[in-house]
């Protein structure tokens, strides 16, 4: 669940408020509807940031199931054709269903919830409608088998229906959602009707689920729920247990699973369930892919190696919930920059799937962040909802987070080879991919909200063609991606708070790749303060994750389980949080020398008015659980 999931409210994570930085008039662009304007500004006289790309290395290939997104049965707009078309255009490859914590209350045969579940099922969101939507998007499903109030037999029957009767080919199956939030450690936001809620009981039942489901279709992949390294309740030993959740589950079930599941909500701040800890500020959020993912992956890989033996390398890692949840920026530009950086960093460290939370969510407490309206909405597309009289853009309007994810389509396709790339500044993220056609694409993310940055690029194992290069950009205030011919392969000037992808052609041979194992380095220890715990709403200082009644369809609903213990790490509760009911819901640039040109495209929103189309997070549910 995301920190603002409409199902259950987790303990609120602290939300650091980022001071709005005044953007100088030279850098601020006003987009006038229906007109095209051009603003030219001089870049600050600062040293160029050095970026190096080694095309002769390999960090692995881009997974076919990599770019994923959460959906939920309580979303009345889940199967809207307009939403499906936007997801297809964004290159979404995998869709998760039936939606966070609601997965532990959902019965697929009747498309209904266990009595007492703090959520609802919207019309036309049953499994067959979901699969029709997934097929229209061209995405594979990843399904949550009901652990909390279901049975191995119910899950096996779902496998038979999906793969034998209907031929849907559903391969990835999670056994439950955020089961460590079942009350065993004190905070209870996840439905779990088993008398024994310990990690031992979950592991034993997980083995039974895997056996029953694989008896129907041996090719399905079964996933085990882990706690996020550094997040609550990672490292805690519950009453009557001999070890913490992850060690216990893997010691029993490692030989019965095919992948492990981690939820990561770094915007929630340290001490919150699935956060792994940025503390809420936008600038802090943007640091987390580079500061947390490598050590978290190493920790998980070390655990798998300790218990899976010769099978360890075949057990995959899936981040089935993540977002900027809990951060001050959720639908404004910082969240858009965070999204592609997070996806690519996880892929570079071996994750086979990353699922953003989520399709639609609903508005939270609307605020202004870096001059933009931030609707505190976990959805990538607007639900058109209102909160305290303030309303989002029209239904299905993409938020900046959508465009951040869609930027990945300019960088990579499944099967492309990720290569090593490094930046001389923490304010500039870089990712590079060798394409199947012999080209090299380089994504540059300028995290500075106020200043452009000049970049000097060098290459090993690849000789770029001379002259101007094709760039695909997403800039602050933009309502789409802009393709241009700008700068050179060696020098670019990037606008503030921007995503720019260089698409390079080669004039020479490309070196054979040398594999670099980034996801298997020795495990590192994450301290609670360094790993943001879960989404806003997972704090131990609050009452145990209590469920809140989700807002009726169309209204705002957010909130996570209340009362999860403070901790670092990205625990799942953050994204599945259900909000309490509320009254509701490019600029192309040409970089030449030190000049940045912002080509404003008509019909964009006026940045000065703070209007932003951000539609990324599903209604802020304080814990993903509707």
């Amino acid at each position: 669940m995301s920190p603002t999931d409409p199902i259950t409210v987790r303990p609120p994570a602290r939300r650091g408020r980022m001071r709005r930085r005044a953007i100088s008039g030279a850098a601020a662009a006003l987009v006038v509807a229906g007109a095209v304007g051009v603003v030219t500004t001089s870049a600050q006289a600062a040293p160029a940031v050095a970026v190096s790309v080694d095309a002769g290395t390999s960090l692995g290939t881009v997974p076919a199931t990599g770019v994923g997104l959460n959906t939920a049965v309580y979303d009345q707009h889940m199967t809207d054709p307009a939403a499906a078309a936007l997801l297809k255009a964004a290159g979404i490859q995998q869709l998760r269903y039936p939606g966070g914590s609601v997965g532990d209350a959902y019965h697929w045969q009747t498309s209904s919830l266990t009595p007492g579940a703090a959520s609802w099922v919207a019309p036309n969101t049953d499994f067959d409608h979901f699969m029709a939507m997934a097929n229209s998007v061209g995405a594979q499903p990843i399904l949550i088998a009901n652990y909390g109030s279901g049975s191995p037999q119910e899950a096996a029957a779902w496998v038979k229906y999906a793969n034998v009767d209907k031929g849907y080919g559903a391969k990835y199956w999670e056994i439950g959602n955020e089961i460590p939030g079942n009350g065993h450690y004190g905070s209870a936001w996840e439905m779990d009707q088993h008398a024994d809620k310990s990690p031992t009981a979950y592991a034993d039942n997980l083995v039974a689920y895997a056996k029953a489901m694989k008896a129907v279709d041996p090719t399905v992949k079964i996933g085990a729920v882990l706690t996020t390294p550094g997040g609550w309740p990672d490292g805690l030993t519950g009453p009557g247990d001999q070890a913490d959740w992850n060690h216990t589950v893997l010691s029993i079930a490692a030989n019965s699973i095919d992948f492990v599941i981690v939820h990561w909500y770094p915007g929630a701040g340290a001490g919150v369930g699935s956060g792994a800890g940025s503390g809420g500020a936008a600038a802090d959020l943007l640091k987390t892919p580079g500061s947390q993912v490598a050590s978290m992956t190493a920790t998980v890989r070390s655990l798998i190696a300790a218990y899976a033996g010769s099978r360890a390398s075949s057990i995959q890692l899936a981040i089935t919930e993540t977002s900027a949840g809990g951060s001050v920026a959720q639908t404004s530009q910082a969240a858009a920059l965070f999204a592609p950086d997070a996806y690519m960093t996880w892929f570079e460290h071996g994750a086979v799937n990353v699922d953003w939370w989520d399709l639609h969510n609903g508005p939270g407490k609307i605020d202004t962040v870096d001059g933009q309206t931030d609707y505190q909405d976990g959805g990538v597309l607007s639900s058109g909802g209102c909160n305290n009289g303030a309303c989002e853009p029209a239904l299905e309007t993409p938020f900046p987070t959508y465009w951040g994810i869609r930027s990945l389509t300019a960088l990579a396709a499944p099967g492309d080879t990720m290569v090593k790339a490094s930046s001389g500044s923490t304010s500039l993220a870089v990712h590079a991919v060798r394409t199947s056609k012999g080209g090299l694409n380089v994504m540059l993310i300028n995290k500075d909200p106020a200043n452009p940055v000049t970049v000097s690029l060098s290459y090993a194992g690849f000789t770029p063609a001379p002259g101007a290069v094709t760039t695909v950009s997403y800039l602050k205030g933009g309502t789409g991606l802009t393709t241009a011919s700008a700068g050179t392969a060696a020098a670019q000037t990037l606008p503030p708070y921007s995503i720019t992808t260089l698409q390079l052609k080669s004039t020479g041979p490309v070196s054979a790749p040398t594999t670099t194992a980034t996801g298997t380095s020795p495990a590192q220890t994450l301290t609670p303060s360094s790993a943001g715990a879960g989404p806003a709403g997972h704090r131990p200082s609050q009452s145990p994750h209590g469920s809140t009644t989700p807002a009726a369809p169309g209204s705002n609903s957010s909130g996570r389980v209340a009362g999860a213990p403070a901790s670092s790490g990205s625990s799942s509760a953050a994204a599945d949080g259900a909000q309490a009911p509320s009254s509701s819901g490019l600029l192309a640039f040409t970089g030449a020398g030190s000049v940045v040109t912002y080509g404003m495209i008509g019909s964009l929103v006026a940045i000065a008015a703070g209007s932003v189309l951000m539609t990324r997070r599903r209604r802020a549910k304080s814990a993903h659980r509707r």
Side-chain angles (χ1 to χ4, degrees):
M1 312 174 64
S2 86
T4 53
D5 200 3
I7 262 216
T8 317
V9 177
R10 298 193 172 191
R14 56 181 174 192
R15 290 187 169 186
R17 199 182 279 282
M18 179 174 169
R19 264 189 293 169
R20 194 191 314 174
R21 294 188 182 176
I23 299 179
S24 68
L30 289 182
V31 184
V32 182
V36 177
V38 176
V39 177
T40 303
T41 66
S42 296
Q44 286 190 338
V49 174
V51 165
S52 62
V53 179
D54 189 347
T57 58
S58 172
L59 303 180
T61 57
V62 177
T65 53
V67 183
L69 185 73
N70 277 271
T71 65
V73 293
Y74 47 78
D75 175 9
Q76 62 181 325
H77 301 295
M78 182 182 82
T79 57
D80 286 359
L86 285 165
L87 298 189
K88 184 179 181 70
I92 298 300
Q93 299 152 353
Q94 190 150 283
L95 290 169
R96 186 172 183 246
Y97 176 91
S101 295
V102 77
D104 282 308
Y106 183 71
H107 300 283
W108 71 272
Q109 290 165 310
T110 57
S111 192
S112 62
L113 302 182
T114 298
S119 192
W120 65 87
V121 175
N124 301 320
T125 60
D126 57 82
F127 180 54
D128 286 319
H129 276 88
F130 163 76
M131 284 304 306
M133 188 266 281
N135 288 335
S136 71
V137 171
Q140 298 182 42
I142 179 167
L143 305 173
I144 305 168
N146 184 343
Y147 174 83
S149 58
S151 68
Q153 294 71 33
E154 181 183 36
W158 196 358
V159 172
K160 179 179 182 299
Y161 180 79
N163 295 349
V164 179
D165 300 343
K166 302 293 288 190
Y168 289 143
K171 296 301 180 187
Y172 286 89
W173 298 77
E174 301 179 55
I175 309 306
N177 180 51
E178 294 173 355
I179 308 304
N182 62 6
H184 183 66
Y185 297 98
S187 188
W189 67 85
E190 199 75 12
M191 177 174 282
D192 185 356
Q193 296 184 337
H194 294 89
D196 186 347
K197 295 177 173 55
S198 69
T200 297
Y202 173 72
D204 287 340
N205 288 320
L206 171 59
V207 172
Y209 271 77
K211 183 177 180 180
M213 296 165 77
K214 291 197 173 197
V216 175
D217 182 354
T219 68
V220 297
K221 294 182 181 295
I222 303 299
V225 175
L226 298 186
T227 59
T228 302
W232 184 89
D234 186 53
L236 297 182
T237 300
D241 298 337
Q242 299 301 307
D244 66 8
W245 183 275
N246 289 353
H247 284 84
T248 302
V249 169
L250 290 174
S251 69
I252 295 170
N255 289 325
S256 298
I257 62 174
D258 303 286
F259 67 103
V260 294
I261 301 150
V262 168
H263 289 178
W264 186 53
Y265 290 94
V272 186
S274 58
S278 71
D284 292 334
L285 171 73
L286 293 175
K287 297 174 184 175
T288 58
S291 66
Q292 296 180 15
V293 171
S295 57
M296 291 170 64
T297 303
T299 297
V300 172
R301 280 290 162 204
S302 178
L303 281 166
I304 293 172
Y307 295 108
S310 61
R311 295 190 65 248
S313 63
S314 67
I315 295 179
Q316 301 173 322
L317 169 62
I319 312 303
T320 62
E321 286 187 20
T322 192
S323 77
S327 167
V328 66
Q330 293 187 51
T331 65
S332 49
Q333 190 70 2
L337 306 184
F338 168 74
D341 196 16
Y343 277 93
M344 288 305 301
T345 304
W346 279 112
F347 297 159
E348 290 160 358
H349 287 82
V352 296
N353 168 242
V354 176
D355 299 322
W356 190 269
W357 186 269
D358 70 335
L359 176 55
H360 301 103
N361 206 64
K365 182 179 180 182
I366 299 174
D367 204 348
T368 300
V369 178
D370 289 319
Q372 289 182 305
T373 299
D374 195 297
Y375 298 95
Q376 288 290 296
D377 189 326
V380 296
L381 302 179
S382 174
S383 65
C386 300
N387 190 356
N388 293 326
C391 298
E392 294 185 323
L395 175 67
E396 310 300 9
T397 298
F399 288 124
T401 35
Y402 169 85
W403 295 112
I405 294 174
R406 185 160 166 173
S407 294
L408 292 169
T409 61
L411 174 67
D416 286 348
T417 301
M418 297 174 288
V419 302
K420 288 183 65 175
S422 61
S423 165
S425 171
T426 55
S427 294
L428 178 67
V430 57
H431 301 280
V433 167
R434 273 208 335 266
T435 71
S436 58
K437 295 182 179 179
L440 179 68
N441 296 338
V442 181
M443 176 177 279
L444 302 167
I445 303 173
N446 180 7
K447 303 177 184 180
D448 190 319
N451 301 302
V453 61
T454 300
V455 182
S456 174
L457 299 101
S458 62
Y459 305 86
F462 184 88
T463 304
V469 300
T470 298
T471 63
V472 180
S473 306
Y474 180 66
L475 307 192
K476 182 178 178 181
T479 56
L481 305 182
T482 295
T483 300
S485 180
T488 67
Q492 290 284 328
T493 301
L494 312 174
Y497 253 22
S498 63
I499 302 168
T500 303
T501 299
L502 314 184
Q503 298 181 331
L504 309 176
K505 295 181 180 179
S506 173
T507 57
V510 178
S511 300
T514 299
T515 302
T516 300
T518 61
T520 56
S521 56
Q524 300 178 32
T525 302
L526 288 181
T527 62
S529 59
S530 67
H538 263 154
R539 285 200 173 254
S541 59
Q542 312 215 344
S543 59
H545 280 2
S547 327
T548 60
T549 303
S555 67
N556 165 256
S557 142
S558 110
R560 282 220 153 227
V561 183
S567 72
S568 60
S570 59
S571 87
S572 49
D576 259 5
Q579 269 185 261
S582 81
S583 61
S584 55
L586 271 141
L587 314 183
F589 84 90
T590 45
S594 64
V595 176
V596 179
T597 302
Y598 297 80
M600 314 292 212
I601 297 179
S603 301
L604 294 182
V605 220
I607 296 177
S611 190
V612 170
L613 299 174
M614 299 203 108
T615 108
R616 236 177 158 24
R617 261 193 126 182
R618 86 179 138 170
R619 297 176 175 179
K621 305 177 180 188
S622 57
H624 287 139
R625 334 180 148 227
R626 278 194 181 188

